[in-house]
Amino acid sequence: MEGCDLSNVSVVDNALSLQNKIAAIRRAGPSKLQVIADFDGTLTKYMVNGRRGQSSHGLLRQENPEFDAKRKALYEYYHPLEFSPTIPIQEKTKLMEEWWGKTHNLLIEGGLTYDAIRESVANSAITFREGVVELFEFLEERDIPVLIFSAGLADIIEEVLRQKVHRSFRNVKIVSNRMIFDDDGRLISFKGKLIHSLNKNEHALDMAAPVHEHLGDVDGVIDDSASVKKRTNVLLLGDHLGDLGMSDGLDYETSISVGFLNDNIENNLASYRKAFDVVYLNDAPMWGVVKLASELCSTESA
């Protein structure tokens, strides 16, 4: 982190507003702060070894390649609809529910096993941004909860943490689609409400699961949903404008939003800099957010 100049990859549209928000969060103290983060393209790198990195959904390979092909066909049909500017939001939401529902059914029909998840992650091109682990450690030391919101699959995100980070964090919770396996490790159903790209918000907080419960780290106490909702200052991290809705279910006082604009910068920068308090460009590392979190938790007078 030392000597890492981020001025050429970061954009702040309203510096005064940002400084006022930082001061307000510092005055309230760390006990009022929580972090809400998207996973794919936010905590993870957009490009890996010169190629587009995989998402937590996209890395999955089933034992039966026929079902991989069917899921790819669904992606090719629905993905353009997800970003179509002409489809009304209500209609688009129904389309996303269709897409996710059909995909989940294919995972069940294809007999997905947890062994396949483990192998898929091991062979995947998915990598955390530099500084993510240090950010999590900094927040864990200060008992600041991190909610990872993803329209992907919680079990895969947990396996990515297990294999890529090799440790768990007692302050991290995942809000995502969670699988239910039988005694033989075969997928039989999904738990709770379907979370897709257009309904990620804190109304799904009841699905949050501390990562350590699944990774075997039993030390420490995790905030429950009620106490998380009492943390009324938010540091929000995302890579799409839609990620700004992740805090919709929270009655917050002050929110600082950080956007990672990974691609098509020329066409999207104007809208991103208006929507987010800080925008990081060109698949930037997480060091700027580590520095921001340090400022928010500083005990010096704001």
Side-chain angles (χ1 to χ4, degrees):
M1 181 176 172
E2 293 298 325
C4 185
D5 180 16
L6 295 167
S7 59
N8 62 333
V9 294
S10 61
V11 177
V12 175
D13 192 61
N14 190 331
L16 179 60
S17 172
L18 176 60
Q19 288 305 316
N20 287 339
K21 289 182 176 184
I22 291 172
I25 291 177
R26 282 173 59 182
R27 283 193 299 269
S31 65
K32 288 289 186 180
L33 178 63
Q34 65 174 304
V35 176
I36 299 175
D38 170 58
F39 187 75
D40 293 307
T42 299
L43 296 178
T44 63
K45 295 187 70 172
Y46 186 76
M47 299 294 293
V48 178
N49 297 325
R51 300 180 62 183
R52 175 74 171 89
Q54 290 175 302
S55 68
S56 55
H57 232 302
L59 65 81
L60 187 59
R61 295 292 176 267
Q62 294 175 252
E63 288 93 336
N64 187 337
E66 174 191 346
F67 287 89
D68 289 335
K70 289 180 177 179
R71 286 190 294 117
K72 184 179 180 182
L74 288 177
Y75 175 88
E76 291 172 350
Y77 175 76
Y78 283 101
H79 186 254
L81 303 179
E82 180 181 7
F83 293 98
S84 169
T86 60
I87 300 176
I89 188 65
Q90 294 89 345
E91 183 180 344
K92 192 179 288 188
T93 298
K94 291 180 180 177
L95 289 168
M96 295 305 101
E97 289 173 356
E98 277 181 20
W99 181 12
W100 261 254
K102 289 177 181 178
T103 297
H104 288 182
N105 286 338
L106 286 175
L107 295 176
I108 296 171
E109 291 170 20
L112 179 69
T113 64
Y114 199 88
D115 284 343
I117 291 176
R118 193 177 292 115
E119 185 176 346
S120 294
V121 172
N123 296 326
S124 70
I126 190 168
T127 305
F128 285 102
R129 293 182 190 272
E130 291 180 16
V132 166
V133 173
E134 289 81 357
L135 176 65
F136 283 3
E137 289 175 342
F138 177 89
L139 297 169
E140 183 182 46
E141 288 169 4
R142 289 154 184 81
D143 294 321
I144 296 171
V146 178
L147 299 184
I148 297 176
F149 277 63
S150 174
L153 300 163
D155 307 82
I156 292 179
I157 293 172
E158 289 166 358
E159 189 62 32
V160 171
L161 283 164
R162 181 183 288 109
Q163 292 192 29
K164 305 295 184 178
V165 181
H166 308 297
R167 64 151 295 185
S168 58
F169 300 91
R170 61 184 173 82
N171 60 323
V172 174
K173 296 186 177 190
I174 295 175
V175 180
S176 188
N177 297 293
R178 186 163 296 281
M179 300 174 173
I180 298 175
F181 296 89
D182 63 17
D183 293 339
D184 297 321
R186 192 172 297 274
L187 176 65
I188 55 174
S189 64
F190 284 82
K191 179 180 179 182
K193 180 184 176 184
L194 179 71
I195 299 178
H196 55 76
S197 59
L198 299 183
N199 73 346
K200 290 193 310 180
N201 57 48
E202 287 219 15
H203 296 299
L205 190 58
D206 58 325
M207 290 183 66
V211 178
H212 76 91
E213 286 184 0
H214 300 271
L215 302 190
D217 181 358
V218 297
D219 295 330
V221 177
I222 300 293
D223 285 356
D224 59 18
S225 297
S227 59
V228 167
K229 288 191 174 184
K230 291 176 183 175
R231 290 178 175 262
T232 50
N233 291 327
V234 177
L235 175 58
L236 186 147
L237 314 176
D239 70 317
H240 289 292
L241 296 178
D243 290 333
L244 291 163
M246 291 189 297
S247 60
D248 281 353
L250 183 69
D251 185 19
Y252 60 83
E253 294 174 10
T254 305
S255 174
I256 294 177
S257 57
V258 176
F260 287 87
L261 179 50
N262 299 309
D263 194 24
N264 201 9
I265 293 172
E266 187 175 336
N267 291 329
N268 289 315
L269 181 56
S271 57
Y272 269 63
R273 68 187 298 168
K274 291 295 182 186
F276 291 96
D277 293 299
V278 186
V279 180
Y280 286 100
L281 311 175
N282 302 320
D283 212 14
M286 193 61 70
W287 296 123
V289 179
V290 175
K291 181 180 178 183
L292 176 58
S294 180
E295 286 185 64
L296 296 178
C297 296
S298 172
T299 55
E300 298 176 11
S301 58

